[in-house]
Amino acid sequence: MAMNKNTVLGWATLIMIIMGLLLIGMGVFRYNEIAGWGFGAVGVGFLANAWVFSSLKGRV
């Protein structure tokens, strides 16, 4: 299976979505203190980067 630029961006998008949701879940369910806000903010950042990667597919 040959991986071109779009396939790499697709895999990167999927991994970043999974990591973003995992970090948001850790912030909500695991940490009740101020650290939960940090985990949630980083998770939202991962989802924003995944959105950018997803929009770059087909344009690079």
Side-chain angles (χ1 to χ4, degrees):
M1 177 174 125
M3 290 184 62
N4 57 10
K5 292 179 278 190
N6 288 329
T7 307
V8 171
L9 283 173
W11 278 107
T13 302
L14 179 67
I15 291 169
M16 291 190 85
I17 288 172
I18 291 170
M19 281 303 297
L21 293 176
L22 182 75
L23 285 168
I24 291 172
M26 282 179 62
V28 170
F29 296 113
R30 175 77 171 110
Y31 297 104
N32 295 329
E33 307 89 37
I34 197 71
W37 289 96
F39 275 98
V42 171
V44 169
F46 265 87
L47 291 179
N49 277 340
W51 181 34
V52 170
F53 281 180
S54 177
S55 67
L56 283 176
K57 280 183 7 184
R59 290 180 167 74
V60 178

